[in-house]
Amino acid sequence: MRPVDERIMETMRDEGNLTPQAVDNFGVCSRSHASVRLSKLNKYGLVDRIAQGLYRLTENGRAFLDEELDASELEPVEDTE
């Protein structure tokens, strides 16, 4: 996990489903960096890819933000797409 990951997930919690471009529009990080980080968050089950380039926060993502889940305990999921 990187600090930007938490900022991306906080923005998703506040704003709803987001694309990498929307993350950029909210000033969190660049579109290209958001795309890389969202793919990584998806791999660990913190966000779901619900359509091409569109992501939503998962229950695990919410639990992480609520400090009920330690991200270091997460294992990558095999095929999330």
Side-chain angles (χ1 to χ4, degrees):
M1 287 287 289
R2 297 188 178 166
V4 71
D5 296 339
E6 190 167 348
R7 291 195 310 271
I8 290 170
M9 291 191 297
E10 287 170 344
T11 304
M12 295 177 88
R13 179 179 58 193
D14 295 343
E15 304 296 336
N17 303 338
L18 296 177
T19 63
Q21 183 61 56
V23 172
D24 186 350
N25 293 347
F26 283 112
V28 177
C29 62
S30 71
R31 181 201 58 76
S32 59
H33 191 62
S35 181
V36 169
R37 298 316 305 162
L38 284 164
S39 292
K40 183 66 80 171
L41 292 169
N42 180 44
K43 183 176 181 177
Y44 283 88
L46 296 168
V47 302
D48 280 334
R49 180 174 174 245
I50 55 175
Q52 180 80 22
L54 182 63
Y55 295 86
R56 73 171 163 219
L57 194 60
T58 64
E59 288 303 314
N60 277 348
R62 290 181 191 284
F64 170 79
L65 291 174
D66 292 338
E67 298 181 0
E68 298 169 355
L69 175 71
D70 183 350
S72 68
E73 298 173 2
L74 295 174
E75 297 288 330
V77 267
E78 192 141 320
D79 187 312
T80 59
E81 298 189 20

